[in-house]
């Protein structure tokens, strides 16, 4: 499999009042197509910051990020917005579903944004069918019209996974996707991610739980802003 993502010498700091908090200190890593890689580390180790930078939600202070030969660190905000929408799927710990929309509407929202108002009229039916297939595949076919507040935590996370996949992203990024769930439900979410990976989906996940991490194909351990193993 070819390399899809490469980060070199990534540094990131934040201003905290009069002090500077250094989060990443020269991180270097790569990811190949079809891999399931987990970044582990204790709270404050910089793992979520690294994931956000790799997913173009944030920019590094120093260093380079290449995604399929595209330099993300040199892109304008507008190009990064388009890149994230089309190439990256995001799954977060707290779901980030919109309560005013039902499950189906939440899932198709990224596709609506990608298409724009004019193009959307021509592809609406196809996208809705794809959304239904995704929701059926992860066990939510009976919950299409439910609002997020009517779902369990596991069901919300499954809906969030379907939303992340609607634009058929090259890379799925998951930030503590099981962190807000009980163990049984969390392993159910992990089983979905493993099945997606077996079907070819490239996944990069952050977790603090070594038991979860051991289910992935490769583990990257982060400590004090540096990769230690």
């Amino acid at each position: 499999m070819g390399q899809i993502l490469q980060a070199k010498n990534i540094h990131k700091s934040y201003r905290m009042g009069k002090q500077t908090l250094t989060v990443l200190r020269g991180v270097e890593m790569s990811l190949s197509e079809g891999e399931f890689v987990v970044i582990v580390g204790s709270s404050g180790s910089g793992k979520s910051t690294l994931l956000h930078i790799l997913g173009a939600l944030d920019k590094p202070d120093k260093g380079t990020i290449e995604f399929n030969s595209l330099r993300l660190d040199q892109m304008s905000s507008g190009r990064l917005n388009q890149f994230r929408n089309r190439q990256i799927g995001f799954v977060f710990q707290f779901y980030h579903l919109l309560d005013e929309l039902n499950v189906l509407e939440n899932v198709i929202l990224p596709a609506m944004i990608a298409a724009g108002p004019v193009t959307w009229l021509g592809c609406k039916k196809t996208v809705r069918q794809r959304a239904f297939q995704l929701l059926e595949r992860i066990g939510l076919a009976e919950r299409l019209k439910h609002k997020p507040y009517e779902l369990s935590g596991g069901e919300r996370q499954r809906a969030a996974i379907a939303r992340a996949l609607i634009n058929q992203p090259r890379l799925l990024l998951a930030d503590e996707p099981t962190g807000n769930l009980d163990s049984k439900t969390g392993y159910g979410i992990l089983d979905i991610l493993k099945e997606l990976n077996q079907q070819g989906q490239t996944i990069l996940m952050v977790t603090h739980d070594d038991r979860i991490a051991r289910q992935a194909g490769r583990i990257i351990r982060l400590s004090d802003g540096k990769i230690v193993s």
Side-chain angles (χ1 to χ4, degrees), residues 3-213:
Q3 193 174 88
I4 189 174
L5 181 68
Q6 185 171 40
K8 296 181 179 179
N9 196 31
I10 301 300
H11 291 256
K12 186 66 179 180
S13 298
Y14 296 98
R15 291 290 297 175
M16 304 287 287
K18 295 182 179 181
Q19 296 183 331
T20 298
L21 175 64
T22 301
V23 182
L24 298 175
R25 309 167 188 264
V27 171
E28 302 204 359
M29 62 160 288
S30 61
L31 182 68
S32 295
E33 196 107 39
E35 277 197 293
F36 186 176
V37 175
V38 170
I39 301 172
V40 298
S42 60
S43 178
S45 62
K47 56 189 186 297
S48 289
T49 298
L50 176 59
L51 195 76
H52 292 173
I53 288 174
L54 295 177
L57 290 172
D58 199 358
K59 284 194 172 185
D61 298 330
K62 180 182 176 182
T64 63
I65 306 164
E66 289 190 11
F67 183 94
N68 201 30
S69 300
L70 294 174
R71 280 285 298 274
L72 301 189
D73 53 289
Q74 294 181 339
M75 282 188 185
S76 66
S77 296
R79 286 192 67 199
L80 282 174
N81 288 340
Q82 291 181 341
F83 167 81
R84 284 193 301 269
N85 182 263
R86 291 171 170 81
Q87 300 290 341
I88 308 288
F90 293 96
V91 181
F92 299 101
Q93 180 177 351
F94 294 104
Y95 326 124
H96 296 316
L97 299 170
L98 299 178
D99 277 341
E100 61 268 29
L101 303 181
N102 64 34
V103 168
L104 182 62
E105 291 165 341
N106 265 286
V107 171
I108 66 176
L109 186 59
M112 291 179 64
I113 294 170
V118 176
T119 306
W120 174 244
L121 295 176
C123 66
K124 179 179 178 179
K125 183 176 180 180
T126 300
V127 172
R128 287 177 66 89
Q129 181 61 31
R130 172 166 170 73
F132 177 78
Q133 289 171 350
L134 283 169
L135 289 165
E136 186 176 43
R137 179 175 166 190
I138 61 176
L140 288 181
E142 304 301 319
R143 300 291 200 186
L144 301 183
K145 301 300 182 181
H146 285 67
K147 298 292 180 67
Y149 55 81
E150 298 176 304
L151 305 179
S152 68
E155 288 172 333
R156 290 184 216 182
Q157 195 60 290
R158 281 186 275 160
I161 291 171
R163 179 186 59 188
L165 295 172
I166 191 65
N167 283 343
Q168 300 176 288
R170 296 281 301 281
L171 175 61
L172 183 66
L173 298 182
D175 192 355
E176 297 278 11
T178 64
N180 202 37
L181 305 171
D182 62 79
S183 296
K184 181 179 179 181
T185 305
Y187 276 103
I189 294 299
L190 184 61
D191 285 342
I192 291 173
L193 295 177
K194 288 166 64 178
E195 182 180 345
L196 289 169
N197 176 248
Q198 289 166 3
Q199 295 168 355
Q201 179 67 57
T202 308
I203 301 174
L204 181 61
M205 184 174 77
V206 156
T207 184
H208 65 276
D209 190 333
D210 281 341
R211 295 172 301 173
I212 295 290

